[in-house]
Amino acid sequence: MSASSYSVQGDVAVIVMDNPPVNGLGHALRTHIYDSLAKASSDAAVKAVVMIGSAKAFSGGADIREFNTPKSAAKPTLHEIIAVLDGMHKPVVAAIGGFALGGGLELALACHYRVASPKANLALPEVKLGILPGGGGTQRLPRVIPVAEALQMMLSGNPIASEKGKALGLIEEVVEGDLLAGALDYANKLVAQGKGARRIRAMTAKLEGATQFFERARAETAKTSRGFPAPLEIIACVEAAVAKPFDEGLKFERARFEHLINTIESKAMRHMFFAERQTARIPDVPEDTRTREIRKAAIIGAGTMGGGIAMNFANAGIPVTLLEPKQEALDRGLATILKNYTATMKKGRLTQAEVDSRMGLIKTTLSYDDVRDADIVIEAVFEDIAVKKAVFEKLDAVMKPGAIIATNTSTLDVNQIAAFTKRPQDVIGTHFFSPANVMRLLEVVRAAKTAKDVLATTMKLGKKLRKVSVVSGVCDGFIGNRMLEQYVRQALFMLDEGALPQQIDGVLQKWGLAMGPFTMYDLAGNDIGWYVRKRRYVESPHIVYSKIADRICELGRFGQKTGSGWYRYEAGSRTPVPDPVVEKLIEDYRKEIGITPRKISDEEILQRCLYALANEGAHILGEGIALRASDIDMVYLTGYGFPAYRGGPMFWADSVGLANVLAAIERFRKGYQGAAWEPAPLLAKLTAEGKTFN
Ligand code: T1G
């Protein structure tokens, strides 16, 4: 906190906040602000105050790491600083450069005037952490900008820019050029005009038809906030800002904040916040590792995956060339990309000019000669080792030295693929998730010989492509699909034993998953799993599967793409409809294997599916395939529709208690197909030591 400072320029005190990286309002910075305000108040020569951060950050808000620890309540608290501002008579001007977020914006709101640089971002993002603005934001914001706008800002948690802030009345002035000079100028004008403190708490939040407005807001929000506790609480706080005197509203806000900060959902969402930032850390690859320049990319294969991957590069402004052996495949691929961009434009999220410029970055070719000078080439061809071999041998022959050669394989051995080239150190796995232009997850598969700078370059590229890049070692299925397989095995076994697809999907979807296993496979295509199982039957005959999924596939029921799978689909509809044909097939299969069906409880479905994920995750962690448990959580959040308010399979297992998870697994081992349950050594070790995954 060395560079934070207090000085007096003319008759204006200047409080500089400098607590890298984001001016988080940790205890030390709070003390600096509190003491500086006291100095400014007691110095008769000081007529006004300017509070300013860095060009990047006014303040990123409360220090999230302090939550649920005594530090967050250590005096002076943010509330005490805000009370001092409320009590000051000398005008205090917040000079916002960069972002003012959460408690940072609440601090600025408690100042009497606000000026901002043109690029400043203003937000109350607490809802994304499962909490609400607990520093008076729910009471002040609706008093200084229109209530509906204030509510929308807090429910979305998204930033508004300075210009919009000025238009709404959140800031008084946008300062071009030197922000401090502009703020000092503004403060001196206040003094010259004899303007003193102007407190938002003294204003009122006006709203016509408040009752209907909040009823409508609650009804709308309830539809989308299932499982997330904060949105409805935010609505209640804003309603209090309209209906109650300021101090009563503040008390109400404090109570609701204290409730939320202790919910498991908020702890889960805060876990996810840090987990996302942790994924970039690779213990044996220094953060300052020199990376290779990625100016041009090439994709081999213009199918669903290849086309989606190409869009990522175009979206990031990187020229990309798509290669296919046949022109009609290129034409089809390009047409699909244009269709996707047009659909996004129709939703108002892209302009025609942006579509044109992105399409302009995507070239096509039939010749490997046209990709030789790409800095990275990603292979996205058919998932067959012979096909991959031919492509990698070709790439090895044509690509310039130093080019990164990546494979998008989801199930094949990246070490084996790297060995098809004479440059295994330049080979890496980049496992995108379909649809590749939408899903945020990118599994970066580090092969045995992948060079450290290739890994660092690929991780940096992932960030540029706006992906969450998670490092995986080489194993069958890497992190996500390997865990998914055990989860699906249990779901299938429970069909053998008495459950139906709609019951299993229903339980898991009600719990919070975006979709259950059968709905998911009908979407992705049942033939994908069928292909993997057929390979498994040959390579790993000891792994037992229920045969029901094969029976479904033998009927050609691959899911939505064939109009039926585990469910039936009306023409043009994607809504899964339970199908008596499938139920009969399951009943016949049970008779065939001599099983008398039993009622399976929702609790057993949840435990067997979710503990299968956590247990396989523990294997993966113990084998060093994943670097940390929170990386596994991020894989499931960003690639498999795991609910953020559950924190990921490993965080959730921790919250259940690893001893309980292990005890349940021991019980399942005694049940149907119990051999499928191999308790991970790490799970047993952590349980014995009373520790957790995260
Ligand atoms: N608390 C603690 N650490 C934080 C932090 C915060 N608020 N914000 C960022 N960090 C860490 C982050 O973990 C990373 O650490 C480093 O700073 C750089 O972050 C009372 C209660 C500000 C837009 O929700 O959105 O105020 O990995 O990589 O891309 O009502 O960080 O280096 O160890 O993200 O430049 C409300 C959360 C808090 C803002 C900067 N505030 N932060 O993005 O850097 S609750 C937020 C962000 C609150 C009040 C309530 C972003 C950023 P490490 P980064 P960036």
Side-chain angles (χ1 to χ4, degrees):
M1 252 278 308
S2 53
S4 284
S5 64
Y6 174 88
S7 61
V8 179
Q9 298 189 24
D11 48 14
V12 180
V14 177
I15 302 173
V16 177
M17 300 183 288
D18 190 352
N19 175 26
V22 300
N23 276 351
L25 295 170
H27 181 248
L29 181 55
R30 295 199 304 267
T31 304
H32 167 67
I33 299 166
Y34 187 84
D35 293 349
S36 301
L37 287 173
K39 265 190 238 164
S41 290
S42 58
D43 180 345
V46 167
K47 301 283 184 290
V49 181
V50 164
M51 197 183 293
I52 189 167
S54 65
K56 174 190 172 193
F58 176 77
S59 166
D63 185 331
I64 309 170
R65 294 182 207 280
E66 289 185 353
F67 290 163
N68 305 112
T69 75
K71 273 189 138 186
S72 65
K75 293 180 175 312
T77 65
L78 177 61
H79 298 106
E80 285 166 330
I81 292 169
I82 289 173
V84 166
L85 286 163
D86 266 346
M88 279 182 77
H89 299 287
K90 298 176 184 178
V92 179
V93 179
I96 304 171
F99 47 69
L101 308 175
L105 182 57
E106 291 172 302
L107 175 63
L109 283 168
C111 293
H112 310 128
Y113 304 89
R114 286 152 295 283
V115 299
S117 60
K119 296 248 176 306
N121 267 326
L122 315 163
L124 291 177
E126 289 86 341
V127 68
K128 296 179 180 178
L129 300 172
I131 50 180
L132 55 76
T138 68
Q139 305 306 304
R140 285 190 174 82
L141 192 64
R143 282 176 163 80
V144 74
I145 72 172
V147 172
E149 295 277 353
L151 180 60
Q152 178 50 33
M153 260 184 87
M154 287 183 262
L155 287 176
S156 71
N158 293 333
I160 61 170
S162 312
E163 281 310 327
K164 177 150 188 201
K166 183 165 187 316
L168 290 173
L170 180 52
I171 55 172
E172 275 62 51
E173 209 168 86
V174 176
V175 174
E176 299 288 344
D178 184 318
L179 178 62
L180 179 57
L184 285 168
D185 186 36
Y186 190 86
N188 284 314
K189 280 195 194 121
L190 291 172
V191 173
Q193 294 155 7
K195 286 188 176 171
R198 193 192 60 175
R199 298 175 187 80
I200 291 179
R201 59 173 294 134
M203 302 175 188
T204 52
K206 297 188 194 65
L207 180 68
E208 287 303 310
T211 310
Q212 296 81 342
F213 172 83
F214 287 110
E215 266 164 26
R216 212 172 34 250
R218 259 188 287 280
E220 274 308 302
T221 302
K223 283 185 211 150
T224 54
S225 67
R226 183 174 64 95
F228 292 95
L232 291 172
E233 296 285 3
I234 288 170
I235 295 173
C237 287
V238 174
E239 193 167 24
V242 173
K244 296 173 188 278
F246 183 83
D247 287 325
E248 270 184 54
L250 208 55
K251 218 178 286 160
F252 183 82
E253 172 196 278
R254 184 80 64 86
R256 301 325 298 156
F257 177 84
E258 285 308 323
H259 160 68
L260 289 173
I261 199 87
N262 289 305
T263 58
I264 184 67
E265 290 84 354
S266 175
K267 289 174 185 168
M269 292 167 79
R270 281 177 267 143
H271 164 71
M272 287 300 193
F273 173 84
F274 290 114
E276 180 171 345
R277 288 155 178 79
Q278 272 294 90
T279 59
R281 283 182 174 53
I282 307 167
D284 68 331
V285 179
E287 294 204 7
D288 59 1
T289 300
R290 244 171 70 76
T291 54
R292 300 183 190 180
E293 195 72 30
I294 302 289
R295 286 177 302 270
K296 281 185 77 172
I299 314 286
I300 312 299
T304 310
M305 289 308 290
I309 296 169
M311 289 176 74
N312 284 295
F313 283 94
N315 297 344
I318 301 173
V320 57
T321 301
L322 271 169
L323 183 146
E324 277 275 358
K326 292 205 181 64
Q327 186 59 43
E328 62 268 22
L330 286 177
D331 298 343
R332 207 171 33 248
L334 220 47
T336 305
I337 291 170
L338 181 58
K339 184 162 70 61
N340 290 337
Y341 276 138
T342 308
T344 307
M345 181 179 69
K346 287 209 172 93
K347 290 177 198 148
R349 293 209 300 265
L350 275 181
T351 63
Q352 183 61 59
E354 284 164 331
V355 170
D356 297 345
S357 96
R358 291 181 194 196
M359 288 304 293
L361 286 169
I362 303 174
K363 300 281 176 277
T364 59
T365 182
L366 299 169
S367 159
Y368 276 84
D369 283 342
D370 292 339
V371 299
R372 62 174 61 243
D373 67 340
D375 302 301
I376 184 169
V377 59
I378 299 178
E379 161 274 315
V381 298
F382 186 62
E383 194 70 351
D384 175 283
I385 198 70
V387 176
K388 306 279 188 196
K389 182 173 187 300
V391 168
F392 272 77
E393 284 170 348
K394 188 78 185 156
L395 289 173
D396 192 31
V398 305
M399 298 307 294
K400 69 182 180 186
I404 292 177
I405 306 182
T407 170
N408 178 54
T409 185
S410 54
T411 59
L412 300 174
D413 184 333
V414 182
N415 288 322
Q416 187 184 2
I417 290 172
F420 294 147
T421 73
K422 294 185 218 41
R423 47 174 131 178
Q425 73 282 359
D426 294 337
V427 177
I428 193 164
T430 50
H431 179 214
F432 289 82
F433 282 70
S434 184
N437 53 308
V438 173
M439 297 300 280
R440 291 180 64 211
L441 178 59
L442 172 64
E443 280 181 328
V444 176
V445 186
R446 180 180 191 174
K449 293 185 178 152
T450 301
K452 289 187 179 183
D453 71 319
V454 169
L455 180 57
T457 304
T458 308
M459 294 297 282
K460 186 176 164 191
L461 173 65
K463 191 169 173 112
K464 186 157 172 60
L465 301 181
R466 301 171 63 76
K467 297 290 179 186
V468 174
S469 307
V470 178
V471 177
S472 171
V474 175
C475 71
D476 194 339
F478 311 135
I479 298 171
N481 285 342
R482 176 171 157 184
M483 290 166 65
L484 185 74
E485 180 152 348
Q486 297 310 319
Y487 157 90
V488 172
R489 278 181 83 195
Q490 289 306 316
L492 290 170
F493 286 145
M494 286 188 276
L495 293 185
D496 292 0
E497 296 177 81
L500 288 175
Q502 54 270 35
Q503 180 196 3
I504 292 173
D505 282 356
V507 167
L508 290 162
Q509 282 158 211
K510 184 160 169 277
W511 185 78
L513 285 176
M515 55 182 78
F518 302 105
T519 307
M520 175 192 68
Y521 268 121
D522 268 4
L523 176 66
N526 292 314
D527 46 333
I528 294 174
W530 194 23
Y531 189 79
V532 171
R533 285 194 303 279
K534 284 195 273 192
R535 187 160 60 81
R536 283 264 195 292
Y537 296 152
V538 173
E539 288 171 2
S540 325
H542 62 286
I543 299 183
V544 176
Y545 290 89
S546 159
K547 290 284 183 289
I548 288 181
D550 298 346
R551 296 290 161 82
I552 291 279
C553 292
E554 282 151 17
L555 296 175
R557 297 176 68 109
F558 292 160
Q560 290 188 24
K561 60 185 173 185
T562 56
S564 70
W566 292 101
Y567 299 97
R568 199 164 42 76
Y569 297 87
E570 304 295 346
S573 160
R574 302 163 70 92
T575 309
V577 178
D579 188 343
V581 169
V582 170
E583 292 175 25
K584 173 96 175 46
L585 182 146
I586 293 170
E587 277 155 28
D588 293 347
Y589 179 74
R590 288 172 186 153
K591 289 192 188 100
E592 188 187 317
I593 59 175
I595 283 199
T596 308
R598 66 179 174 89
K599 172 138 181 47
I600 295 184
S601 72
D602 292 358
E603 186 53 27
E604 181 178 345
I605 290 171
L606 263 185
Q607 287 189 1
R608 280 175 61 178
C609 285
L610 297 173
Y611 292 0
L613 283 182
N615 186 50
E616 197 59 27
H619 279 293
I620 287 168
L621 202 50
E623 293 165 22
I625 295 290
L627 291 170
R628 54 186 76 84
S630 60
D631 279 11
I632 296 173
D633 289 333
M634 280 316 295
V635 164
Y636 265 77
L637 175 82
T638 56
Y640 293 81
F642 207 90
Y645 58 83
R646 303 283 190 185
M650 311 309 273
F651 178 94
W652 181 72
D654 283 341
S655 67
V656 168
L658 298 190
N660 298 324
V661 174
L662 184 58
I665 289 174
E666 293 301 350
R667 278 200 313 279
F668 299 145
R669 284 181 97 185
K670 299 187 182 77
Y672 178 70
Q673 298 295 357
W677 289 99
E678 273 302 313
L682 179 65
L683 173 60
K685 178 173 177 294
L686 292 173
T687 300
E689 295 166 356
K691 290 184 179 162
T692 55
F693 287 129
N694 276 296

